[in-house]
Amino acid sequence: MPSSSSTPACLRWIGDVGGRLELLDQTLLPSRHEWIGCPDVESVVEAIKSLRVRGAPAIGIAGAYGLAVAAAEAGRRGLEPGLAREHLHARAAELDSARPTAVNLRWAVRRTVAAVERLPADAPTTALEAAVLTEARAIHAEDRELCAAIGRHGARALAEALAAAPGAGVLTHCNTGALATGGDGTALAAITTAWDDGHRFDVFADETRPLFQGARLTAWELVQRGIPVTVLVDSAAGQLMRTGRVAACIVGADRITASGDVANKIGTYSLAVLAAAHGIPFFVAAPSSTFDLSIDGGDAIPIEQRAATEVTHPLGMQAAPDGVLAYNPAFDVTPAALIRGIVTEHGLIQPVDRERIADVLRATL
Amino acid sequence: MPSSSSTPACLRWIGDVGGRLELLDQTLLPSRHEWIGCPDVESVVEAIKSLRVRGAPAIGIAGAYGLAVAAAEAGRRGLEPGLAREHLHARAAELDSARPTAVNLRWAVRRTVAAVERLPADAPTTALEAAVLTEARAIHAEDRELCAAIGRHGARALAEALAAAPGAGVLTHCNTGALATGGDGTALAAITTAWDDGHRFDVFADETRPLFQGARLTAWELVQRGIPVTVLVDSAAGQLMRTGRVAACIVGADRITASGDVANKIGTYSLAVLAAAHGIPFFVAAPSSTFDLSIDGGDAIPIEQRAATEVTHPLGMQAAPDGVLAYNPAFDVTPAALIRGIVTEHGLIQPVDRERIADVLRATL
C-alpha cells in the first residue's frame, strides 16, 4: 500500500555516457527545491565543500559521478587515451580532497579509478568514459540496495514496537533519508518502508539544532512522500515521551565501535537516555560499513567541535551576544547499553553486544 | 568578591512623582540594548503584549508602574480627584488585560489600586499620584528582596554541589535573571550570587529553543556582569553531562504543585531526566508564590501549546517546509522525584515532598 506521492533524491545522472550530473542544492531547502547542473569537476567539488550535497553515502556517490563528469569532459575535448587517463587521475585527486574526513568519498573515487585501471592499456577514451559511468552507477545502485535492505529490516523492528504501543508514533533525529544516501536512506528508510507497508503512525522529527537537518531535510522528504510529519524542538522530546506518544526512536550512525557504542549527530545520546527512562526501544540504522572494529568503546571516538557561530547564529541570525563561548560538539556517543537494536543491511543486531556484532560482520566478509 | 561589571535590569522609574517609566526592549536583545520610554498606559500595554517586557515578576512590576504612569497623566492634565480615580480604574482594567494569564500582573495592579482606595475620599490628586508610585516602588523593592534571598539560598546549594565535583560547572535553562524579575532573578540569581561570593566555575546556558531565551537573554545578562558563559544547543546537554562538566543544574519554575512537581519552560524535564541519569543534583529556584497548592500532581497542570511558527520559523527564518505539523508545548512537567531541592526565599526545600513544602509555606503565612 505505497502512499508516496514523490520519492526524493539528492543526485541524478542525466543521459548516458557523455551525459551530465545534477545535484539537489540542499542548502536551499526547504524554501527552494533547485537542481544544479555540474558541468565540470570544479562544480562538483564546490557542491561537496559547501554542503549542497551531504551525508556520507551521498557524497561518495557524487564523487564517483564527479569522475564520470571528468570522463565526459575528456571525451568532449577529444583527449587521446593516455591524456584522458592523466586527466582522470588529476580530477580524482581534486575530488578526494573536497572533504578530507569523508571516508566514503575517498573509497568511491578510488573504486571508480580502479575500474579504469582494469581496462587494457590501449582502450579508447570512449571505453574509459563507459567504464567510469558504469562503476559510478554500480556504486549508486549498491547503495540503493543497502538502503532498501535496511529499510525492510528496520520497518519490521518498528512495526513490532508500534504494535506494542498502540496510538504512539516514531521519533527520529537529524536526516538519514534520500538526501543523505543514494537510495531511501537508513533510519528514515525504516520509517518510510513501514509506512509503505501500510502501517499508520505519527512521525516525529526533532528539528536537530544546530543545523536544523530534521526540520529542513527530514520534514521536507516526508512532505514530498505525502507522509504527515510533526516537527519539534529537540528539548521537547522528553515531554513527548512522557505523554506516551513515542513507540520507538530510530536514528542513524556516523561510526559504531566493536562493542556497539554509536557516534551520531549531537542530541542522539540525550534522546537515548530519555528513551531508556521511558522504556521506549531505541534503534540505530546503518550499513555494516559504519562499524569501526579498530575501536572498542565509544570513549575512544574523537568528537569534532564545530564553529561557535552554528550555535550563536542559527540560520545566520544573531541569537547570542558577542563575547560568549559556545560548546558545539558535532557528535555524541551513545553507549550500547542504551540501544535496543542496530539495523544493518544483514538484519537486526539485537541485543547489541560484541559477540552479535562480530557474528553479523563475519557474515559480510 | 563581586566581579559584576554591570548589573542588568529590565525596567526603571526615572525621577519621582510625575516621573516616567522606561523598559528595556527585550525583543531587540542581544543585538541591541535600547530603553523605551512609556509616556502613556497604551505604550506599557503594548510593551507587555509584544514581550518587550517578560517574566511573570517583571510584568507585574511593569503593571504597577504602568498605573503610576496613569497617575502622572492625571496630574499633568489637572484632573480633580474624583476624575483622577476614575481615570486610574479605567487604566488598571487596560493593564490587567494586557496578558490575561499572567497572575502576577493582575495581583500587582490590584494591589496598587487598593493603595489608592485606602486614601481618604477628599485626598488631592497629588496624594493619589504619590500613593500609586509608593506602592509600585514597594512591589519592585519586595521582588528585589525575594530575588536576593533566593540568590543567597541558591548560591549555598550550588557551592555545595560545586565542591563535590571539582572542575565542573553549573547548567541553566531559559532566562530567570534580572530580565525576568525586579531584582537579580531566581535560578540565575543563585548562579550570579555564587560567582559574587567568589566561587569560580563554568556557567553553561542552554539556548532554550524555540524562543532562545537562554542564548538571547541569559547569556546577555552574564556578559553584562562580566561572568564568562558558554552557550549550547539544548540537545548537547547530555553530552556535556556525560563528559563530567556539570556539577549541578538550576532552573526556574512557572508553577509548583503541592507534591513538588514543577511546570517550567519546555526542555526542563529532559534536563532533569539527564541529570538524574548522571547523578547530577537538579535544583529549582522560585519564590513561594509559585506554589499552587490547589493542584496536587503535575499531570493536572494544563500545558499551553504555542504557535507552530515558533518551531518552523526560528527568529523569523523558515527552517521547515510548508505543510508540516509542529509539537510546541510551552512548558513541561518535572516530577518531584527528579528534583534535589527547591530554593525559595525562605530557604531550600529538600527533600522535595508534600510535607516539607507544606512546612515551608506555613512559615510564610
Side-chain angles (χ1 to χ4, degrees), chain B residues 169-241:
Chain B
V170 175
L171 173 62
T172 187
H173 192 69
C174 200
N175 175 259
T176 57
L179 293 174
T181 62
D184 285 340
T186 55
L188 194 55
I191 291 173
T192 57
T193 303
W195 187 271
D196 285 346
D197 286 348
H199 300 285
R200 289 295 172 266
F201 53 94
D202 287 331
V203 180
F204 297 105
D206 277 350
E207 66 172 7
T208 317
R209 278 283 284 148
L211 297 181
F212 296 103
Q213 293 95 333
R216 291 199 306 114
L217 308 179
T218 297
W220 181 84
E221 286 197 33
L222 291 165
V223 167
Q224 293 301 304
R225 288 176 185 271
I227 299 176
V229 54
T230 300
V231 178
L232 55 147
V233 299
D234 302 314
S235 78
Q239 175 72 4
L240 190 72
M241 291 182 188

Coordinates of all heavy atoms in Angstrom, one line a residue, chain B residues 169-241:
Chain B
G169 N 30.9 22.6 36.2 CA 30.2 23.9 36.3 C 28.7 23.8 36.5 O 28.2 22.7 37.0
V170 N 28.0 24.8 36.3 CA 26.5 24.9 36.5 C 25.8 25.1 35.2 O 26.2 26.0 34.4 CB 26.2 26.0 37.5 CG1 24.7 26.1 37.7 CG2 26.8 25.7 38.9
L171 N 24.8 24.3 35.0 CA 24.0 24.4 33.7 C 22.6 25.0 34.1 O 21.9 24.5 35.0 CB 23.8 23.0 33.1 CG 22.9 22.9 31.9 CD1 23.4 23.7 30.7 CD2 22.9 21.4 31.5
T172 N 22.2 26.0 33.3 CA 20.8 26.5 33.5 C 20.1 26.5 32.1 O 20.6 26.3 31.1 CB 20.8 27.9 34.1 OG1 19.5 28.3 34.4 CG2 21.4 28.9 33.2
H173 N 18.8 26.8 32.2 CA 17.9 26.7 31.1 C 17.0 27.9 31.1 O 16.6 28.4 32.1 CB 17.0 25.4 31.2 CG 16.2 25.0 30.0 ND1 16.9 24.6 28.8 CD2 14.9 25.0 29.7 CE1 15.9 24.3 27.9 NE2 14.7 24.5 28.4
C174 N 16.7 28.5 29.9 CA 15.8 29.6 29.8 C 16.4 30.9 30.5 O 17.6 30.9 30.7 CB 14.4 29.3 30.3 SG 13.1 30.5 29.6
N175 N 15.6 31.9 30.7 CA 16.1 33.1 31.4 C 15.3 33.3 32.7 O 14.1 33.4 32.7 CB 15.9 34.3 30.6 CG 16.3 35.6 31.4 OD1 15.5 36.3 31.8 ND2 17.6 35.8 31.5
T176 N 16.0 33.4 33.8 CA 15.4 33.5 35.1 C 16.2 34.6 35.9 O 16.4 34.5 37.1 CB 15.5 32.2 35.9 OG1 16.9 31.9 36.0 CG2 14.8 31.1 35.2
G177 N 16.6 35.6 35.2 CA 17.5 36.6 35.8 C 16.9 38.0 35.9 O 15.6 38.1 36.1
A178 N 17.7 39.0 35.9 CA 17.2 40.4 36.0 C 16.2 40.8 35.0 O 15.4 41.7 35.1 CB 18.4 41.3 36.0
L179 N 16.3 40.1 33.8 CA 15.4 40.5 32.7 C 14.0 39.9 32.9 O 13.0 40.2 32.2 CB 15.9 39.9 31.4 CG 17.2 40.6 30.9 CD1 17.8 40.0 29.7 CD2 17.0 42.1 30.7
A180 N 13.8 39.0 33.9 CA 12.5 38.4 34.2 C 11.9 38.8 35.5 O 10.8 38.5 35.8 CB 12.7 36.9 34.2
T181 N 12.7 39.6 36.3 CA 12.2 40.0 37.6 C 12.6 41.4 37.9 O 13.1 42.1 37.1 CB 13.0 39.1 38.7 OG1 14.4 39.4 38.6 CG2 12.7 37.6 38.5
G182 N 12.2 41.8 39.2 CA 12.6 43.2 39.6 C 13.9 43.3 40.3 O 14.4 44.3 40.6
G183 N 14.6 42.1 40.4 CA 15.9 42.1 41.1 C 16.9 41.3 40.2 O 16.9 41.5 39.0
D184 N 17.6 40.4 40.9 CA 18.6 39.7 40.1 C 18.1 38.3 39.6 O 18.9 37.6 39.0 CB 19.8 39.4 41.0 CG 20.7 40.7 41.2 OD1 20.5 41.6 40.4 OD2 21.4 40.8 42.2
G185 N 16.8 38.0 39.8 CA 16.3 36.8 39.3 C 16.1 35.7 40.3 O 16.2 36.0 41.5
T186 N 15.9 34.5 39.8 CA 15.7 33.3 40.7 C 16.9 32.4 40.5 O 17.9 32.5 41.2 CB 14.3 32.7 40.4 OG1 14.3 32.4 39.0 CG2 13.2 33.7 40.8
A187 N 16.7 31.4 39.6 CA 17.8 30.5 39.3 C 19.1 31.2 38.9 O 20.2 30.9 39.4 CB 17.4 29.5 38.3
L188 N 19.0 32.2 38.1 CA 20.2 32.9 37.6 C 20.8 33.7 38.8 O 22.0 33.9 38.9 CB 19.9 33.8 36.4 CG 21.1 34.3 35.7 CD1 22.0 33.2 35.2 CD2 20.7 35.2 34.5
A189 N 20.0 34.2 39.7 CA 20.5 34.9 40.9 C 21.4 34.0 41.7 O 22.4 34.4 42.3 CB 19.4 35.5 41.7
A190 N 21.0 32.7 41.8 CA 21.8 31.7 42.5 C 23.2 31.6 41.9 O 24.2 31.6 42.6 CB 21.1 30.3 42.6
I191 N 23.2 31.6 40.6 CA 24.5 31.5 39.9 C 25.3 32.8 40.1 O 26.5 32.7 40.4 CB 24.2 31.2 38.4 CG1 23.7 29.8 38.2 CG2 25.5 31.4 37.6 CD1 23.2 29.5 36.8
T192 N 24.7 33.9 39.9 CA 25.5 35.2 40.0 C 25.9 35.4 41.4 O 27.0 36.0 41.7 CB 24.7 36.4 39.4 OG1 23.5 36.5 40.1 CG2 24.5 36.2 37.9
T193 N 25.1 35.0 42.4 CA 25.4 35.2 43.8 C 26.6 34.3 44.2 O 27.5 34.8 44.8 CB 24.2 34.9 44.7 OG1 23.1 35.8 44.3 CG2 24.6 35.2 46.2
A194 N 26.6 33.1 43.7 CA 27.7 32.2 43.9 C 29.0 32.7 43.4 O 30.0 32.7 44.0 CB 27.4 30.8 43.3
W195 N 28.8 33.3 42.2 CA 30.0 33.9 41.5 C 30.5 35.1 42.3 O 31.7 35.3 42.6 CB 29.6 34.3 40.1 CG 30.8 34.8 39.2 CD1 31.2 36.1 39.2 CD2 31.6 34.0 38.4 NE1 32.3 36.2 38.3 CE2 32.5 34.9 37.8 CE3 31.7 32.7 38.1 CZ2 33.5 34.5 37.0 CZ3 32.7 32.2 37.2 CH2 33.6 33.1 36.6
D196 N 29.6 35.9 42.7 CA 29.9 37.1 43.5 C 30.5 36.7 44.9 O 31.2 37.5 45.5 CB 28.7 38.1 43.7 CG 28.4 38.8 42.4 OD1 29.3 38.8 41.5 OD2 27.4 39.4 42.3
D197 N 30.1 35.6 45.4 CA 30.7 35.1 46.6 C 32.1 34.6 46.4 O 32.7 34.2 47.4 CB 29.8 33.9 47.2 CG 28.5 34.3 47.8 OD1 28.3 35.6 48.0 OD2 27.7 33.5 48.0
G198 N 32.6 34.6 45.2 CA 34.0 34.2 45.0 C 34.2 32.8 44.4 O 35.3 32.4 44.1
H199 N 33.1 32.1 44.2 CA 33.2 30.8 43.6 C 33.5 31.0 42.1 O 32.9 31.9 41.5 CB 31.9 29.9 43.8 CG 31.6 29.7 45.2 ND1 32.3 28.8 46.0 CD2 30.7 30.3 46.0 CE1 31.8 28.8 47.2 NE2 30.9 29.7 47.3
R200 N 34.3 30.2 41.5 CA 34.7 30.3 40.1 C 34.3 29.0 39.4 O 34.8 27.9 39.9 CB 36.1 30.6 39.9 CG 36.4 32.1 40.3 CD 35.7 33.1 39.4 NE 35.8 34.5 39.8 CZ 34.9 35.1 40.6 NH1 33.8 34.4 41.0 NH2 35.0 36.3 40.9
F201 N 33.5 29.0 38.4 CA 33.0 27.8 37.8 C 32.5 28.1 36.4 O 32.2 29.3 36.1 CB 31.9 27.1 38.6 CG 30.8 28.0 39.0 CD1 29.6 28.1 38.2 CD2 30.9 28.9 40.1 CE1 28.6 28.9 38.5 CE2 29.8 29.7 40.4 CZ 28.7 29.8 39.6
D202 N 32.4 27.1 35.5 CA 31.8 27.3 34.2 C 30.3 27.5 34.3 O 29.7 26.8 35.0 CB 32.1 26.1 33.3 CG 33.5 26.0 32.8 OD1 34.2 27.1 32.7 OD2 34.0 24.9 32.6
V203 N 29.8 28.5 33.6 CA 28.4 28.7 33.6 C 27.9 28.3 32.2 O 28.4 28.9 31.2 CB 27.9 30.1 33.9 CG1 26.4 30.3 33.8 CG2 28.4 30.6 35.2
F204 N 27.0 27.3 32.1 CA 26.5 26.8 30.8 C 25.1 27.2 30.7 O 24.3 27.0 31.6 CB 26.6 25.3 30.8 CG 28.0 24.7 30.8 CD1 28.5 24.1 32.0 CD2 28.9 24.9 29.7 CE1 29.8 23.7 32.0 CE2 30.2 24.4 29.7 CZ 30.7 23.8 30.9
A205 N 24.7 27.8 29.5 CA 23.4 28.2 29.3 C 22.8 27.5 28.1 O 23.3 27.7 26.9 CB 23.3 29.7 29.0
D206 N 21.8 26.7 28.3 CA 21.1 26.1 27.2 C 20.5 27.2 26.3 O 20.0 28.2 26.9 CB 19.9 25.3 27.7 CG 20.2 23.9 28.1 OD1 21.3 23.4 27.9 OD2 19.3 23.2 28.7
E207 N 20.5 27.1 25.0 CA 20.0 28.2 24.2 C 18.5 28.3 24.4 O 17.9 29.4 24.3 CB 20.3 28.0 22.7 CG 19.6 26.8 22.1 CD 19.8 26.7 20.6 OE1 20.5 27.5 20.0 OE2 19.2 25.8 20.0
T208 N 17.8 27.2 24.7 CA 16.4 27.2 25.0 C 15.5 27.6 23.8 O 14.9 28.7 23.7 CB 16.0 28.2 26.2 OG1 17.0 28.0 27.2 CG2 14.6 27.9 26.7
R209 N 15.5 26.7 22.9 CA 14.5 26.7 21.8 C 13.1 26.5 22.3 O 13.0 25.9 23.4 CB 14.8 25.6 20.7 CG 15.9 26.0 19.8 CD 15.4 27.0 18.7 NE 14.7 26.3 17.7 CZ 13.7 26.9 17.0 NH1 13.3 28.1 17.3 NH2 13.0 26.2 16.1
P210 N 12.0 27.1 21.8 CA 12.1 27.8 20.5 C 12.4 29.3 20.5 O 12.8 29.8 19.5 CB 10.6 27.6 19.9 CG 9.8 27.5 21.2 CD 10.7 26.8 22.2
L211 N 12.4 29.9 21.7 CA 12.5 31.4 21.6 C 13.9 31.9 22.0 O 14.1 33.1 22.2 CB 11.4 32.0 22.5 CG 10.0 31.8 22.0 CD1 8.9 32.5 22.8 CD2 9.8 32.3 20.5
F212 N 14.8 31.0 22.3 CA 16.2 31.3 22.5 C 16.4 32.2 23.7 O 17.4 33.0 23.7 CB 16.8 32.0 21.3 CG 16.9 31.2 20.0 CD1 16.0 31.3 19.0 CD2 17.9 30.2 19.9 CE1 16.0 30.6 17.8 CE2 18.0 29.5 18.7 CZ 17.0 29.6 17.7
Q213 N 15.6 32.1 24.8 CA 15.8 33.0 25.9 C 17.2 32.7 26.6 O 17.7 33.7 27.2 CB 14.7 32.8 27.0 CG 13.3 33.2 26.5 CD 12.5 32.0 26.0 OE1 13.1 31.1 25.5 NE2 11.2 32.1 26.1
G214 N 17.7 31.5 26.5 CA 19.0 31.2 27.1 C 20.1 32.0 26.4 O 20.9 32.6 27.0
A215 N 20.1 31.8 25.1 CA 21.1 32.4 24.2 C 21.0 33.9 24.2 O 21.9 34.7 24.3 CB 21.1 31.9 22.8
R216 N 19.7 34.4 24.0 CA 19.5 35.8 23.8 C 19.6 36.6 25.1 O 20.2 37.7 25.2 CB 18.1 36.1 23.2 CG 17.9 35.6 21.8 CD 16.7 36.3 21.1 NE 15.5 36.1 21.9 CZ 14.8 37.1 22.5 NH1 15.3 38.3 22.4 NH2 13.7 36.8 23.2
L217 N 19.0 36.1 26.2 CA 18.8 36.9 27.4 C 19.8 36.5 28.6 O 20.4 37.3 29.1 CB 17.3 36.8 27.9 CG 16.3 37.1 26.8 CD1 14.9 36.9 27.3 CD2 16.5 38.5 26.2
T218 N 19.8 35.2 28.9 CA 20.7 34.7 30.0 C 22.1 35.0 29.6 O 22.9 35.5 30.5 CB 20.5 33.2 30.3 OG1 19.1 33.1 30.7 CG2 21.4 32.7 31.3
A219 N 22.5 34.7 28.4 CA 23.9 34.9 28.0 C 24.2 36.4 28.0 O 25.3 36.8 28.5 CB 24.2 34.3 26.6
W220 N 23.3 37.2 27.6 CA 23.5 38.6 27.6 C 23.7 39.2 29.0 O 24.6 40.0 29.3 CB 22.3 39.3 26.9 CG 22.4 40.8 26.9 CD1 23.1 41.5 25.9 CD2 21.9 41.7 27.8 NE1 23.0 42.9 26.2 CE2 22.2 43.0 27.4 CE3 21.1 41.6 29.0 CZ2 21.9 44.2 28.1 CZ3 20.7 42.8 29.7 CH2 21.1 44.0 29.2
E221 N 22.8 38.7 30.0 CA 23.0 39.2 31.3 C 24.3 38.8 31.9 O 24.9 39.6 32.6 CB 21.9 38.5 32.2 CG 20.5 39.0 32.1 CD 19.6 38.7 33.2 OE1 20.1 38.6 34.4 OE2 18.4 38.5 33.0
L222 N 24.8 37.6 31.6 CA 26.1 37.2 32.2 C 27.2 38.0 31.6 O 28.2 38.3 32.3 CB 26.2 35.7 32.0 CG 25.3 34.8 32.9 CD1 25.2 33.4 32.4 CD2 25.7 34.9 34.3
V223 N 27.1 38.2 30.3 CA 28.1 39.1 29.6 C 28.1 40.5 30.3 O 29.2 41.0 30.6 CB 27.9 39.2 28.1 CG1 28.7 40.3 27.5 CG2 28.2 37.8 27.4
Q224 N 27.0 41.0 30.5 CA 26.9 42.3 31.2 C 27.6 42.3 32.6 O 28.2 43.3 33.0 CB 25.4 42.7 31.4 CG 24.6 43.0 30.2 CD 25.2 44.1 29.4 OE1 25.4 45.2 29.9 NE2 25.5 43.8 28.1
R225 N 27.5 41.2 33.3 CA 28.0 41.1 34.6 C 29.5 40.7 34.6 O 30.1 40.5 35.7 CB 27.3 40.0 35.4 CG 25.9 40.5 35.9 CD 25.2 39.3 36.6 NE 23.8 39.7 36.9 CZ 23.4 40.3 38.0 NH1 24.3 40.6 38.9 NH2 22.1 40.5 38.2
G226 N 30.0 40.4 33.4 CA 31.4 40.0 33.3 C 31.7 38.6 33.7 O 32.8 38.2 34.1
I227 N 30.6 37.8 33.7 CA 30.7 36.3 34.1 C 30.8 35.5 32.8 O 29.9 35.6 32.0 CB 29.5 35.9 34.9 CG1 29.5 36.7 36.2 CG2 29.6 34.4 35.2 CD1 28.3 36.3 37.1
P228 N 31.9 34.8 32.5 CA 32.0 34.0 31.3 C 30.9 33.0 31.2 O 30.5 32.3 32.2 CB 33.4 33.3 31.4 CG 34.1 34.1 32.5 CD 33.1 34.6 33.4
V229 N 30.3 32.9 30.0 CA 29.2 32.0 29.8 C 29.4 31.2 28.5 O 29.9 31.7 27.5 CB 27.8 32.7 29.7 CG1 27.9 33.9 28.7 CG2 26.7 31.8 29.5
T230 N 29.0 29.9 28.5 CA 29.1 29.0 27.4 C 27.7 28.6 27.0 O 27.0 28.1 27.8 CB 30.0 27.8 27.7 OG1 31.3 28.2 28.1 CG2 30.1 26.8 26.5
V231 N 27.4 28.9 25.8 CA 26.0 28.6 25.2 C 26.1 27.3 24.5 O 27.1 27.0 23.9 CB 25.5 29.7 24.3 CG1 24.2 29.4 23.7 CG2 25.5 31.0 25.0
L232 N 25.0 26.5 24.6 CA 25.0 25.2 23.9 C 23.6 25.0 23.4 O 22.6 25.5 23.9 CB 25.4 24.0 24.8 CG 24.7 23.8 26.1 CD1 24.6 22.3 26.4 CD2 25.4 24.5 27.2
V233 N 23.4 24.2 22.3 CA 22.1 23.8 21.9 C 21.6 22.8 22.9 O 22.3 22.1 23.6 CB 22.1 23.1 20.5 CG1 22.7 24.1 19.4 CG2 22.9 21.8 20.4
D234 N 20.2 22.9 23.1 CA 19.6 22.1 24.2 C 20.0 20.7 24.2 O 20.2 20.0 25.2 CB 18.1 22.3 24.1 CG 17.7 23.8 24.2 OD1 18.2 24.5 25.0 OD2 16.8 24.2 23.3
S235 N 20.1 20.1 22.9 CA 20.3 18.7 22.8 C 21.8 18.3 23.2 O 22.1 17.1 23.2 CB 20.0 18.2 21.4 OG 21.0 18.5 20.5
A236 N 22.6 19.2 23.4 CA 24.0 18.9 23.7 C 24.2 18.8 25.3 O 25.3 18.4 25.7 CB 25.0 20.0 23.2
A237 N 23.2 19.0 26.0 CA 23.3 18.9 27.5 C 23.7 17.5 27.9 O 24.5 17.4 28.9 CB 22.0 19.3 28.1
G238 N 23.2 16.5 27.3 CA 23.5 15.1 27.6 C 25.0 14.9 27.5 O 25.7 14.3 28.4
Q239 N 25.6 15.2 26.4 CA 27.0 15.0 26.1 C 27.8 15.8 27.1 O 28.8 15.3 27.6 CB 27.3 15.5 24.7 CG 28.8 15.4 24.3 CD 29.3 14.0 24.1 OE1 28.6 13.0 24.3 NE2 30.6 13.9 23.9
L240 N 27.4 17.0 27.4 CA 28.1 17.9 28.4 C 28.1 17.2 29.8 O 29.2 17.1 30.4 CB 27.4 19.2 28.5 CG 28.1 20.3 29.3 CD1 29.3 20.9 28.6 CD2 27.2 21.5 29.7
M241 N 27.0 16.6 30.2 CA 27.0 15.9 31.5 C 27.8 14.6 31.4 O 28.5 14.3 32.4 CB 25.5 15.5 31.8 CG 24.6 16.7 32.1 SD 22.9 16.1 32.5 CE 22.0 17.6 32.6

